[in-house]
Amino acid sequence: MDSRRVLLILGLIQLCLVQLVFGGDIVHEDDKAPKKPGCSNNFVLVKVQTWIDNVESREFVGVGARFGTTMESKEKHANHSKLALADPPDLCSPPKNKLAGEVILVHRGNCKFTTKANVAEAAGASGILIINFKKELYKMVCDPDETDLNITIPAVMLPQDAGLFLESSMNNTSNVAVQLYSPERPLVDIAEVFLWLMAVGTILCSSFWSAWSAREAAIEQDKILKDASFDYVNVEQGSSGVVDINTMSAVLFVVVASCFLIMLYKLMSYWFIELLVVLFCIGGVEGLQTCLVALLLRWFKSAGETFIKVPIFGAISYLTLAVAPFCITFAVVWAVYRRVNFAWIGQDILGIALIITVLQIVRVPNLKVGTVLLSCAFLYDIFWVFVSKSWFNESVMIVVARGDRSGEDGIPMLLKIPRMFDPWGGFSIIGFGDILLPGLLIAFSLRYDWLSNKSLRAGYFVWAMSAYGLGLLITYVALNLMDGHGQPALLYIVPFTLGTFITLGKIRGDLSNLWSRGEPVRPCPHFQLQPTNQPEEESEEHHHH
């Protein structure tokens, strides 16, 4: 149990740090620069495909300017144009070389972007590529007082490394060609559908497992009371590993998660991500092992009930010993190869196993605790995604989720699926907290239904589960409307799930019972079902009878 508690503290804090849904990494901050006639394009990312001596070479991503013509979105319609080097390189004065429809490659600086574009157009160029002096992309806008904005060629900003590659290629051969186009994202990517199914499926599995354990514990306790045999009293119950959250720990949890998030934000580096990967693997191994052992117990009951003493860990069943090497190998292989393009599968398996295990061990005892926990998480989410912008000049949650400044591909506490039909690639991701926190409330609803023998329609589980599914769906709609900006999913999920549960409880007259007791009233006046009861309490109850 001690290792379980350690996992729990680790797991919970890790799991709920990032509560975001992302659609890809395209960010258009169109609100920053004012639009005006001749300077009103949306910022779009532009693919710059290159050819060297008629052989297809590297592809770069640039960003289109506020001015100039808009980009072609279909690759097949985009022009194949020869590339020319500007002379002078900054193109603040007319070029020495005559152009006939080439795209011109220019250095940033010394004059306005619009000046460069006008000079290039007057010289006969069909487009202008401006090289930034940093690896990042810069959004080219117009000054408020500019008038010379009748530019009819496309203008694109390229990062420094792309510019260096193109310049060195042109020094080696004069035959370099480029093609500029800006493909549109599909409205719904299949990745989002799969993520939705994964989130809903994870909560379904863990709710049924949790409710099944609670029912087993109830049957066991009834047995103890009916048989009046003290031999039973010392039998360790199936749910002895369950931890109930109280109101205080629900509030404390969000405070700790906030501190941890700030720490991540401040210490974000390559080494810190490595440390998180190790922690994630420890949690993932424990989660995977718990899930596999629970599944295999059906077939290998005896192996699950014979124990062996292991130093440090105490008594461990033979089944756990047999499964452990596989789980450890799985996690280590994932950690080593996590930059490979299909490593997301391993990350998702470990993540789902960890969520299911935590939902099995941690329980919300009643609706009051569930409401406090979800309300705090709701505020945590909104604060760290939106409000933190005004304090830190950037959204802390988004920076941490993307793993900016760490040189890594984001932190591992996310489920992710590659966007398969998206010309821009990238991943759709969902934070563990968006599954785990609502999952605690939904698992509670199914335990309540089962213990009070309610049918599916008369119970709360189907309604809570549907409300979650709908909330997550609306998050994806919002994500697509907001053009890929990360959305705090709990902003949509919490009002739906909690609202449905509380309203329904009020209508059916169960609210006060759900709120404070969190379990159905049982026929026996002295007896309350508390799966977490310790054997001493059980024997006392027994004496009452």
Side-chain angles (χ1 to χ4, degrees), residues 205-496:
C205 290
S206 30
S207 300
F208 276 99
W209 187 9
S210 178
W212 183 77
S213 318
R215 193 161 66 176
E216 292 278 290
I219 293 167
E220 189 85 355
Q221 234 161 358
D222 282 351
K223 237 193 232 165
I224 294 167
L225 294 166
K226 285 198 189 90
D227 293 6
S229 82
F230 288 97
D231 307 342
Y232 265 117
V233 172
N234 297 323
V235 172
E236 190 168 300
Q237 301 240 320
S239 57
S240 62
V242 170
V243 179
D244 273 354
I245 302 176
N246 56 28
T247 324
M248 188 62 208
S249 57
V251 177
L252 197 65
F253 165 67
V254 176
V255 175
V256 173
S258 294
C259 298
F260 206 74
L261 191 71
I262 295 179
M263 189 169 91
L264 265 179
Y265 176 72
K266 293 291 183 197
L267 299 178
M268 181 67 79
S269 66
Y270 175 78
W271 289 111
F272 203 64
I273 295 269
E274 297 289 315
L275 177 69
L276 288 179
V277 166
V278 172
L279 291 181
F280 175 70
C281 286
I282 295 169
V285 166
E286 175 76 32
L288 200 55
Q289 184 172 295
T290 310
C291 293
L292 286 175
V293 167
L295 283 173
L296 295 171
L297 261 178
R298 301 283 165 93
W299 297 284
F300 306 105
K301 211 160 174 51
S302 59
E305 287 168 1
T306 7
F307 290 86
I308 183 172
K309 275 259 189 287
V310 177
I312 306 168
F313 298 105
I316 289 183
S317 72
Y318 281 109
L319 187 56
T320 309
L321 269 185
V323 168
F326 166 76
C327 298
I328 293 168
T329 311
F330 186 90
V332 169
V333 168
W334 170 78
V336 172
Y337 292 104
R338 69 179 190 281
R339 293 179 192 80
V340 181
N341 50 11
F342 49 83
W344 60 274
I345 300 171
Q347 181 170 327
D348 290 355
I349 291 171
L350 289 170
I352 288 172
L354 182 52
I355 294 171
I356 291 177
T357 303
V358 170
L359 282 175
Q360 170 57 19
I361 302 173
V362 182
R363 292 188 180 171
V364 167
N366 53 37
L367 188 53
K368 179 173 133 192
V369 174
T371 304
V372 171
L373 181 68
L374 283 182
S375 306
C376 289
F378 176 74
L379 296 172
Y380 165 87
D381 230 8
I382 291 172
F383 181 84
W384 290 114
V385 176
F386 297 128
V387 185
S388 62
K389 270 187 189 163
S390 57
W391 290 13
F392 297 90
N393 296 325
E394 52 189 347
S395 168
V396 171
M397 183 92 82
I398 291 179
V399 170
V400 169
R402 282 208 302 245
D404 296 3
R405 300 198 295 274
S406 67
E408 285 273 324
D409 189 20
I411 62 172
M413 291 91 190
L414 309 157
L415 295 185
K416 56 188 214 176
I417 295 185
R419 298 174 66 90
M420 299 157 208
F421 298 110
D422 190 326
W424 289 105
F427 286 91
S428 279
I429 65 175
I430 181 169
F432 286 169
D434 300 327
I435 302 172
L436 187 86
L437 295 169
L440 286 167
L441 188 74
I442 295 168
F444 162 71
S445 72
L446 188 63
R447 286 199 300 278
Y448 184 87
D449 288 358
W450 278 21
L451 295 174
S452 51
N453 295 322
K454 286 184 186 288
S455 69
L456 274 182
R457 210 178 66 215
Y460 292 91
F461 173 70
V462 172
W463 294 95
M465 196 70 239
S466 310
Y468 174 78
L470 190 63
L472 190 56
L473 196 65
I474 286 172
T475 311
Y476 283 117
V477 172
L479 185 73
N480 285 318
L481 293 177
M482 308 271 180
D483 217 359
H485 278 290
Q487 287 296 303
L490 293 183
L491 174 65
Y492 308 93
I493 293 169
V494 170
F496 270 91

Side-chain angles (χ1 to χ4, degrees), residues 32-335:
K32 291 280 164 69
K35 294 186 177 187
K36 51 195 249 183
C39 193
S40 60
N41 299 340
N42 284 333
F43 289 121
V44 291
L45 288 182
V46 179
K47 291 202 177 207
V48 180
Q49 178 63 58
T50 64
W51 281 264
I52 295 169
D53 292 327
N54 299 323
V55 178
E56 193 168 319
S57 182
R58 292 171 62 182
E59 181 183 82
F60 298 103
V61 174
V63 64
R66 268 271 190 258
F67 51 85
T69 47
T70 51
M71 294 292 149
E72 180 54 63
S73 65
K74 298 274 189 293
E75 183 176 8
K76 57 176 186 281
H77 297 158
N79 290 331
H80 215 95
S81 315
K82 227 180 138 195
L83 193 62
L85 280 175
D87 180 19
D90 61 13
L91 205 69
C92 291
S93 52
K96 301 189 174 77
N97 41 347
K98 278 284 158 273
L99 302 173
E102 289 97 336
V103 170
I104 192 162
L105 190 63
V106 178
H107 282 251
R108 179 181 170 184
N110 302 338
C111 57
K112 292 175 182 169
F113 294 125
T114 45
T115 309
K116 295 177 195 286
N118 276 312
V119 169
E121 191 180 347
S126 65
I128 179 168
L129 293 177
I130 300 175
I131 308 168
N132 199 6
F133 34 67
K134 294 208 294 266
K135 282 229 171 87
E136 287 77 55
L137 286 169
Y138 181 85
K139 293 173 176 162
M140 298 189 283
V141 295
C142 318
D143 287 345
D145 52 355
E146 283 186 63
T147 48
D148 204 3
L149 291 175
N150 190 16
I151 299 163
T152 58
I153 59 169
V156 178
M157 171 69 74
L158 278 180
Q160 187 182 32
D161 49 349
L164 290 174
F165 171 82
L166 288 173
E167 283 189 321
S168 64
S169 306
M170 291 186 70
N171 290 332
N172 296 331
T173 169
S174 57
N175 189 3
V176 179
V178 291
Q179 188 183 29
L180 313 179
Y181 62 105
S182 177
E184 288 168 11
R185 297 208 100 128
L187 196 57
V188 178
D189 193 89
I190 193 116
E192 286 168 13
V193 179
F194 278 125
L195 261 189
W196 186 89
L197 288 171
M198 260 159 67
V200 169
T202 302
I203 291 182
L204 272 173
C205 290
S206 30
S207 300
F208 276 99
W209 187 9
S210 178
W212 183 77
S213 318
R215 193 161 66 176
E216 292 278 290
I219 293 167
E220 189 85 355
Q221 234 161 358
D222 282 351
K223 237 193 232 165
I224 294 167
L225 294 166
K226 285 198 189 90
D227 293 6
S229 82
F230 288 97
D231 307 342
Y232 265 117
V233 172
N234 297 323
V235 172
E236 190 168 300
Q237 301 240 320
S239 57
S240 62
V242 170
V243 179
D244 273 354
I245 302 176
N246 56 28
T247 324
M248 188 62 208
S249 57
V251 177
L252 197 65
F253 165 67
V254 176
V255 175
V256 173
S258 294
C259 298
F260 206 74
L261 191 71
I262 295 179
M263 189 169 91
L264 265 179
Y265 176 72
K266 293 291 183 197
L267 299 178
M268 181 67 79
S269 66
Y270 175 78
W271 289 111
F272 203 64
I273 295 269
E274 297 289 315
L275 177 69
L276 288 179
V277 166
V278 172
L279 291 181
F280 175 70
C281 286
I282 295 169
V285 166
E286 175 76 32
L288 200 55
Q289 184 172 295
T290 310
C291 293
L292 286 175
V293 167
L295 283 173
L296 295 171
L297 261 178
R298 301 283 165 93
W299 297 284
F300 306 105
K301 211 160 174 51
S302 59
E305 287 168 1
T306 7
F307 290 86
I308 183 172
K309 275 259 189 287
V310 177
I312 306 168
F313 298 105
I316 289 183
S317 72
Y318 281 109
L319 187 56
T320 309
L321 269 185
V323 168
F326 166 76
C327 298
I328 293 168
T329 311
F330 186 90
V332 169
V333 168
W334 170 78

